[in-house]
Amino acid sequence: MSSHVYKHIELTGSSTTSIEDAVSGAIAKASLSVRNIHWFEVVETRGHVENGKVAHWQVTIKVGFTLED
């Protein structure tokens, strides 16, 4: 069995649509420059309100990826 060493970074994504869209957007952007992403953990969820309605979702996540040999 091979062992893995993981490193994690913290990202914050935002969306006018949903929490899921904010997470997906952050992971998609990170995937452009970070290889081997395997997991994420939601650390914080926030929102921005305008005129009594949710205008933006903001989600901070930890993203884990394996280090290459």
Side-chain angles (χ1 to χ4, degrees):
M1 182 173 132
S2 64
S3 60
H4 296 283
V5 174
Y6 292 93
K7 179 167 179 63
H8 63 85
I9 56 175
E10 196 168 271
L11 306 169
T12 301
S14 64
S15 170
T16 57
T17 308
S18 68
I19 293 169
E20 291 85 359
D21 195 48
V23 170
S24 294
I27 291 173
K29 184 69 171 180
S31 293
L32 298 175
S33 59
V34 177
R35 292 185 302 274
N36 304 319
I37 294 175
H38 289 283
W39 58 266
F40 75 91
E41 171 187 359
V42 175
V43 177
E44 185 175 21
T45 306
R46 293 178 303 280
H48 175 75
V49 177
E50 289 181 4
N51 300 320
K53 296 183 180 182
V54 175
H56 292 90
W57 291 98
Q58 213 175 44
V59 181
T60 300
I61 59 175
K62 285 184 183 176
V63 176
F65 55 96
T66 54
L67 298 175
E68 295 180 347
D69 292 332

